[in-house]
Amino acid sequence: MEVKENLQEIRQNIRQACGKVNRNPEEITIIAVTKYVTIERTQAALEAGIMNLGENRLEGFSDKYEAIGDKAVWHFIGSLQSRKVKDMINEIDVLHSLDRKSLAKEINKRANSVKSCFIQVNVSGEESKHGISPDEVVAFVESLQAYEKIRVDGLMTMAPNIEDEDKIRSVFRELRHLRELIISKNLSYAPCQGLSMGMSNDYHIAIEEGATHIRIGSKLVGQ
Ligand SMILES: *Cc1c(COP(=O)(O)O)cnc(C)c1O
């Protein structure tokens, strides 16, 4: 399918999910996750009206950034090794996978300006998933005060890859609850308005539960 047609269908589903819970579709940023596809396909996504791109590996990001540069807003959504920070932190716009103090420290050292970050939380508790555990999130955010280049703009999670919609929903709901806890702390460096959650198979549920950033790969740019 053409990216354009996929995008139309996704926008329709977003409107529908927003309608159910009285949200404005304009609150939702669609991030096209281009990790499986070529530069050409990524460019087709931009031509179809996508502005936000997501990559989960430094190599994939660098290749595409070289071709596309500042014509897109770049989201890094994969786990990030501290030693790679210097190679990308000033090229990306938003990091969705801040999950440890050593990484925050390295970003603080390498970033030229304040960096928009989402804290990755392992809500489902699956061992295969990155992210900090829910009961450590608030203390972790508080510990970031010392790093003037880090701004906590939201939380990010991945739901388990299962059929059980109630279980998926409860993961998203928990992330939203954690966001409210952080907001209630009134930390100037952690406005934390964002919720990065929802992928190809579950973004409709994520939107009903308050997602502000959905990360869609296969159903948007997949072919
Ligand atoms: C690959 C990936 C996505 C997109 O997955 P799809 O199921 O293809 O939509 C979203 N978020 C992260 C962190 C990913 O690694």
Side-chain angles (χ1 to χ4, degrees):
M1 287 279 263
E2 296 286 335
V3 178
K4 214 170 168 173
E5 293 165 89
N6 292 339
L7 183 58
Q8 258 173 9
E9 191 178 322
I10 289 165
R11 287 216 169 107
Q12 176 64 32
N13 292 337
I14 291 174
R15 276 196 294 275
Q16 203 169 45
C18 283
K20 279 195 191 169
V21 292
N22 255 312
R23 293 189 63 195
N24 180 351
E26 286 174 23
E27 295 169 14
I28 292 153
T29 300
I30 302 171
I31 300 170
V33 177
T34 50
K35 65 188 184 193
Y36 316 111
V37 301
T38 60
I39 292 171
E40 289 70 33
R41 188 79 173 163
T42 304
Q43 265 153 345
L46 295 174
E47 276 156 32
I50 287 288
M51 284 163 50
N52 292 269
L53 299 178
E55 278 287 333
N56 69 335
R57 295 175 59 95
L58 177 59
E59 296 70 24
F61 165 70
S62 300
D63 286 353
K64 283 168 183 126
Y65 185 79
E66 202 172 305
I68 292 164
D70 292 336
K71 290 200 286 286
V73 177
W74 293 97
H75 299 258
F76 197 85
I77 62 172
S79 69
L80 179 59
Q81 291 169 281
S82 296
R83 66 184 170 83
K84 295 188 173 172
V85 166
K86 64 179 184 314
D87 300 322
M88 46 70 87
I89 198 67
N90 291 306
E91 280 72 49
I92 65 162
D93 297 287
V94 187
L95 177 70
H96 289 244
S97 52
L98 179 56
D99 63 355
R100 58 193 192 280
K101 199 118 174 246
S102 55
L103 182 58
K105 190 174 175 190
E106 183 65 14
I107 292 167
N108 203 57
K109 182 170 158 194
R110 303 289 185 175
N112 295 333
S113 57
V114 175
K115 197 49 55 177
S116 175
C117 299
F118 283 59
I119 311 295
Q120 184 168 358
V121 187
N122 186 359
V123 178
S124 66
E126 291 165 280
E127 271 188 34
S128 60
K129 291 211 158 70
H130 290 272
I132 60 177
S133 80
D135 52 0
E136 290 170 351
V137 173
V138 173
F140 179 65
V141 172
E142 285 173 336
S143 78
L144 297 176
Q145 179 141 34
Y147 303 122
E148 69 278 4
K149 301 276 181 57
I150 305 251
R151 188 178 67 229
V152 179
D153 277 330
L155 302 180
M156 179 275 222
T157 201
M158 289 170 86
N161 186 11
I162 54 172
E163 299 281 314
D164 183 347
E165 287 212 359
D166 292 338
K167 176 71 189 140
I168 294 169
R169 190 178 294 280
S170 74
V171 167
F172 294 148
R173 199 165 281 177
E174 166 91 14
L175 196 71
R176 181 180 184 151
H177 169 70
L178 292 168
R179 180 186 65 172
E180 304 317 312
L181 281 181
I182 294 164
I183 290 173
S184 74
K185 300 282 172 191
N186 268 312
L187 303 167
S188 59
Y189 62 92
C192 208
Q193 296 297 309
L195 284 174
S196 169
M197 58 190 196
M199 318 198 325
S200 287
N201 292 326
D202 55 23
Y203 68 90
H204 57 293
I205 308 171
I207 290 168
E208 288 176 30
E209 297 302 327
T212 61
H213 294 68
I214 56 176
R215 310 178 308 267
I216 309 190
S218 42
K219 290 216 174 137
L220 177 52
V221 290
Q223 40 211 326

